[in-house]
Amino acid sequence: MKKILVIGSAGQIGSELTLSLRDIYGGENVIAGVRKTKPSEKLTETGPCEVVDALDMDGLVSVVKKYNIDGIINMAAILSGTGEKNPMLAWDVNMNGLINVLEVAREYKMKQVLVPSSIAVFGPTTPVDDTPQETILKPTTIYGVTKVAGELLGDYYVKRYGLDVRGLRYPGIISHETLPGGGTTDYAVAIYYEAIKNKKYTCFVNADTRLPMMYMPDCLKATIDLMQADFSKLKHHCDFNVGAMSFSVAEMAESIKKFIPEFEISYEPDFRQEIADSWPNSVDDSAAREEWGWKPDYDLDAMTEDMLKAIEEKHKKGLI
Ligand code: SER
């Protein structure tokens, strides 16, 4: 790919992925597509930035033509928590936005489209431990419904049109650069911010809630490794399980206490408990390991140390 458009560049993953891709492909060659959220200076200073709303086909086409885009990464999505508050919006952004991206990619004969999926494709009837690659996909959230449909739609474009579409099922993503928004796994980021700011956190899911999680450096590595994998070696396309860590909230709190002994945690579960309970504890990612060499680097304590250090820095500078 020579010119990549990242839609959703101001989001939790998009903001860091865009910068990593600019390091690899050159700043001018990675266009940051933003919609409502103001992009950071890092984003505006290191390469082109354009307003892109995947729901506005004309606007999307004009950016594609302006830069001769030959690859799109579609990071724009309404996540599980916000989706339950506004199912129509989730459907619109996650489905209509996606089909616009796929259509424009087909029409302009792009080299690749990357569309992330999520552990939200699984549901209460899916096996919870080491969830297999091929398994029951009966999610109970609108976000999960759109992600299952998105995987199928991407695979359809591969088969029907020969378009190179790829995707991976992200677990909860933990990072300190840009806050996540509207997801069920957001507690796993908030806990670190509150540990630094207030030495305590009230969690919206209970102590033994256990979900698959991943630290941002591994998320960037997984995404870029999948993008760069040899297409002819892929047996799967849009639905790779990718695992890294799996821990309960209580285990996270213990990990934080190793660095901040006075840290206290309490629990007030809300509607997101039911969502978390419908997702797996851990996933079997052997297909990703075999087909494109996936291997994570971080474990819980290594991530905790890194997160607390980075957030402490922000706190000292008065940024949070
Ligand atoms: N982080 C997402 C959410 O919680 C899962 O992909 O909605």
Side-chain angles (χ1 to χ4, degrees):
M1 280 177 291
K2 293 206 174 77
K3 291 276 180 187
I4 303 171
L5 170 64
V6 184
I7 302 176
S9 256
Q12 184 197 12
I13 302 173
S15 57
E16 297 199 44
L17 181 63
T18 305
L19 297 178
S20 296
L21 291 174
R22 282 179 175 164
D23 284 343
I24 300 169
Y25 296 96
E28 286 307 304
N29 299 323
V30 182
I31 289 77
V34 299
R35 198 172 65 100
K36 276 194 325 213
T37 318
K38 197 172 170 286
S40 65
E41 269 176 27
K42 274 187 206 161
L43 221 51
T44 52
E45 282 167 3
T46 54
C49 220
E50 293 280 345
V51 173
V52 176
D53 180 349
L55 293 173
D56 167 17
M57 191 58 154
D58 293 342
L60 180 58
V61 167
S62 76
V63 172
V64 164
K65 282 186 181 159
K66 179 173 171 185
Y67 292 95
N68 265 322
I69 299 293
D70 62 358
I72 300 184
I73 300 175
N74 182 29
M75 303 303 296
I78 300 294
L79 300 189
S80 57
T82 309
E84 288 316 294
K85 290 187 183 145
N86 196 342
M88 284 301 288
L89 177 70
W91 180 267
D92 200 21
V93 173
N94 300 358
M95 294 314 313
N96 295 329
L98 172 60
I99 202 151
N100 281 352
V101 167
L102 291 169
E103 271 301 285
V104 93
R106 180 179 72 81
E107 181 128 344
Y108 289 84
K109 302 191 174 23
M110 292 201 190
K111 296 214 170 68
Q112 192 182 102
V113 176
L114 188 121
V115 182
S117 186
S118 160
I119 52 164
V121 294
F122 304 120
T125 52
T126 309
V128 288
D129 291 311
D130 275 332
T131 299
Q133 177 68 44
E134 311 296 341
T135 188
I136 301 165
L137 302 180
K138 291 183 109 186
T140 46
T141 61
I142 188 69
Y143 176 59
V145 170
T146 65
K147 286 293 166 190
V148 173
E151 289 182 355
L152 294 172
L153 195 59
D155 283 346
Y156 176 79
Y157 271 71
V158 175
K159 188 166 176 289
R160 176 78 168 73
Y161 302 115
L163 186 67
D164 178 348
V165 192
R166 306 172 183 205
L168 59 180
R169 293 171 175 157
Y170 287 136
I173 303 297
I174 297 170
S175 67
H176 52 75
E177 188 66 35
T178 308
L179 285 172
T184 298
T185 56
D186 293 10
Y187 67 84
V189 175
I191 192 170
Y192 289 117
Y193 277 81
E194 293 307 311
I196 293 292
K197 288 197 289 188
N198 303 315
K199 312 273 177 265
K200 57 179 196 250
Y201 178 57
T202 303
C203 189
F204 57 77
V205 295
N206 63 32
D208 51 14
T209 302
R210 177 181 296 277
L211 286 172
M213 297 280 178
M214 185 182 279
Y215 193 31
M216 184 58 89
D218 277 334
C219 171
L220 297 173
K221 184 169 86 158
T223 310
I224 293 167
D225 283 358
L226 175 59
M227 281 175 70
Q228 296 180 336
D230 182 347
F231 186 75
S232 67
K233 297 228 167 77
L234 301 182
K235 293 188 200 105
H236 298 83
H237 295 100
C238 299
D239 59 0
F240 284 101
N241 281 359
V242 277
M245 321 174 213
S246 167
F247 44 75
S248 68
V249 188
E251 286 164 357
M252 278 197 100
E254 283 313 308
S255 175
I256 291 174
K257 277 185 199 165
K258 288 181 190 161
F259 303 92
I260 306 175
E262 64 274 37
F263 177 66
E264 282 173 26
I265 184 144
S266 55
Y267 301 92
E268 281 176 20
D270 67 14
F271 72 101
R272 288 166 286 189
Q273 182 68 57
E274 197 182 330
I275 301 177
D277 289 345
S278 77
W279 292 349
N281 295 335
S282 60
V283 297
D284 173 358
D285 58 7
S286 40
R289 288 174 189 258
E290 278 158 28
E291 291 174 45
W292 47 276
W294 164 241
K295 191 172 169 292
D297 290 327
Y298 281 83
D299 65 13
L300 176 58
D301 285 343
M303 173 177 73
T304 296
E305 187 171 7
D306 221 51
M307 281 291 285
L308 292 175
K309 213 188 283 167
I311 297 168
E312 177 74 52
E313 281 301 306
K314 283 190 173 192
H315 193 49
K316 273 196 207 135
K317 289 184 191 152
L319 297 171
I320 55 162

